[in-house]
Amino acid sequence: MPHPTHHTYDVVIIGGAIFGSSVAWWLTQMAGFDGKVLVVERDPTYEFAATSHTNSCIRQQFSSAINVRVSQFGAEFIKNFRRFMGDDPEVPHLALQSFGYLYLADTPEFAKTLQQNQKIQMALGAGTQHMTPAEVAAAYPFYQLDDILAANHNRVDEGYFDGGTMFDWFKRMARRNGVEYLYDEVTAMTKAADGKSVTHVTLKSGATVACGTVVNASGPRAAATAGMAGITLPVEPRKRYTFVFDAAKPLDRDLPLTIDPSGVHFRTEGKYYMAGCPPHEDPAVAYDDFAFDHSLWEDKVWPAIATRIPQFDQVKVINEWVGHYDYNTLDQNAIVGPHSVVENFLCLNGFSGHGLQQAPALGRGIAEWIAYGAYRTLDLNPYAYRRIEQNQSLIEKAVI
């Protein structure tokens, strides 16, 4: 385990997965910022990181305006990835496969919510359509819709992208631009006498480094990291399951990412299909608990798929995994920006499954805050920590 190159860093980022690496790279793009940046990552294989278990999807179908705008920038970033990376010919082009999300409502209340959400999204420039069951059937005749009252669908900048490649190049280009990555683990923090700043972080290797700013980008471990600074975060790891399956009778067109009223979602995945869901019960789990519930497919996922798409009466699971969400128990929305008391401790936590699509915009925002003391592009203040202290939710009606 190597030691840090310096004794003092302007920025120490705890966690080197998608958000830590996004902030690190964006800092190298901030005009006038030339500080030393250290990323501390406890597992450089990222085997159990939430980033490694993502389904790599993006949507504009949120009810909160800030979430819509954040994902709209995410789509712009994906489609212009090489340009953002300085037109480096080594950088690959990223494709955004816009098969869209399809929300299905089986109650009058949720149908009304979808209609309200569509108006908000359209006002912000999203291409969401509010659809009747007949309109859904005309576009996608394979669905069984007897219980469905309405739906929302958007095929503009909404669907799948290669999040793994985006993460790899955030990390690669951050390093190329001078960011130091360290295989180690932060085990303690030292605060100033007045309690208003973190002055040092202690590493598992025994080293101690001084820091100007600390960024908590430690995913499902966010609460443990914040606790070292005496900060409480309502973020806990929760399991989310993914299944990739083959169908004996494949569909003749792309399957939108379908959010079924059962709580199961499913979509096209190349020549295969992907499904996902939470477990039957959804408690917080230990950071290292990745035990797989094999009953979930037979009891929950398969019945929902076969009911909604009768053509999928013969399918075979070919891959499956379980990962962790960094679940914000207050409102399932991101917590972004400085703590109200420990002013140099910046949160980038609690994404509740939205993280990969939000990484470009929120990483940029934190980099702006570090470099300039303010957000210069998107105003990310709706995500601020103060709402946690005040127990005031950022209402989002479109959480999967």
Side-chain angles (χ1 to χ4, degrees):
M1 190 176 291
H3 290 283
T5 304
H6 306 284
H7 297 294
T8 300
Y9 291 86
D10 297 278
V11 183
V12 174
I13 300 171
I14 304 173
I18 188 67
F19 273 97
S21 291
S22 175
V23 173
W25 176 76
W26 276 112
L27 280 169
T28 70
Q29 305 302 299
M30 296 291 118
F33 178 81
D34 59 358
K36 294 193 293 292
V37 180
L38 175 69
V39 177
V40 183
E41 172 51 50
R42 64 187 301 276
D43 177 15
T45 71
Y46 300 96
E47 179 183 1
F48 297 110
T51 298
S52 302
H53 297 118
T54 180
N55 291 347
S56 288
C57 290
I58 185 167
R59 59 182 164 114
Q60 277 78 61
Q61 289 193 65
F62 291 96
S63 67
S64 167
I66 185 59
N67 281 335
V68 177
R69 292 190 177 102
V70 163
S71 282
Q72 286 175 327
F73 176 72
E76 177 189 345
F77 187 85
I78 292 163
K79 293 189 298 181
N80 298 282
F81 186 60
R82 180 180 285 181
R83 177 173 63 79
F84 276 102
M85 290 281 165
D87 286 316
D88 188 317
E90 287 186 54
V91 176
H93 291 290
L94 291 185
L96 204 171
Q97 300 178 27
S98 294
F99 45 67
Y101 282 56
L102 181 73
Y103 283 81
L104 298 175
D106 64 346
T107 66
E109 294 77 17
F110 191 48
K112 183 178 180 180
T113 296
L114 288 183
Q115 194 165 33
Q116 293 169 342
N117 290 353
Q118 188 261 356
K119 291 178 180 178
I120 293 169
Q121 295 153 19
M122 287 289 288
L124 295 168
T128 310
Q129 294 180 309
H130 188 66
M131 304 174 73
T132 65
E135 289 170 329
V136 175
Y140 302 103
F142 45 76
Y143 288 119
Q144 187 285 114
L145 299 169
D146 291 349
D147 58 330
I148 298 303
L149 303 178
N152 277 5
H153 189 213
N154 175 19
R155 293 196 63 181
V156 181
D157 293 343
E158 187 167 279
Y160 167 82
F161 69 101
D162 186 349
T165 294
M166 185 172 76
F167 163 52
D168 180 59
W169 280 93
F170 272 147
K171 179 161 51 78
R172 189 180 305 195
M173 295 299 269
R175 280 175 160 160
R176 187 177 297 180
N177 293 341
V179 173
E180 182 178 343
Y181 276 67
L182 181 68
Y183 167 33
D184 210 326
E185 184 176 352
V186 174
T187 57
M189 299 183 194
T190 303
K191 292 197 290 186
D194 62 5
K196 292 185 177 180
S197 63
V198 174
T199 61
H200 296 79
V201 299
T202 300
L203 305 177
K204 188 175 183 179
S205 62
T208 298
V209 296
C211 52
T213 299
V214 175
V215 179
N216 182 358
S218 49
R221 295 174 178 265
T225 299
M228 297 177 202
I231 294 168
T232 300
L233 277 182
V235 176
E236 59 189 33
R238 293 197 181 186
K239 289 184 179 180
R240 291 296 180 268
Y241 289 80
T242 299
F243 303 86
V244 177
F245 63 94
D246 196 7
K249 294 176 282 187
L251 305 174
D252 64 352
R253 64 200 76 187
D254 283 341
L255 173 63
L257 198 157
T258 306
I259 299 92
D260 192 73
S262 65
V264 176
H265 56 85
F266 34 90
R267 65 167 173 89
T268 290
E269 173 70 4
K271 69 174 185 175
Y272 300 117
Y273 300 93
M274 178 180 283
C277 67
H280 299 296
E281 303 293 331
D282 194 20
V285 298
Y287 295 130
D288 60 352
D289 178 4
F290 290 89
F292 201 94
D293 181 355
H294 292 281
S295 72
L296 205 58
W297 172 259
E298 290 291 340
D299 295 347
K300 182 175 182 177
V301 181
W302 161 235
I305 293 170
T307 298
R308 187 61 59 202
I309 305 178
Q311 188 171 330
F312 283 170
D313 58 347
Q314 298 178 56
V315 301
K316 179 182 180 181
V317 175
I318 60 172
N319 196 11
E320 58 188 16
W321 64 86
V322 61
H324 287 174
Y325 271 8
D326 48 336
Y327 190 90
N328 176 359
T329 60
L330 176 65
D331 58 18
Q332 295 84 66
N333 267 307
I335 305 166
V336 179
H339 186 256
S340 53
V341 177
V342 189
E343 297 170 350
N344 72 333
F345 186 97
L346 302 186
C347 301
L348 198 52
N349 309 114
F351 304 101
S352 306
H354 309 144
L356 216 74
Q357 63 187 293
Q358 295 187 324
L362 300 190
R364 178 184 63 176
I366 286 291
E368 290 171 346
W369 188 275
I370 293 169
Y372 311 124
Y375 301 124
R376 289 195 169 183
T377 46
L378 286 174
D379 179 4
L380 302 182
N381 281 300
Y383 298 122
Y385 181 87
R386 64 176 176 270
R387 81 180 194 280
I388 307 301
E389 296 175 312
Q390 297 166 1
N391 198 33
Q392 293 182 345
S393 298
L394 172 59
I395 300 299
E396 175 54 64
K397 299 176 182 177
V399 174
I400 301 174

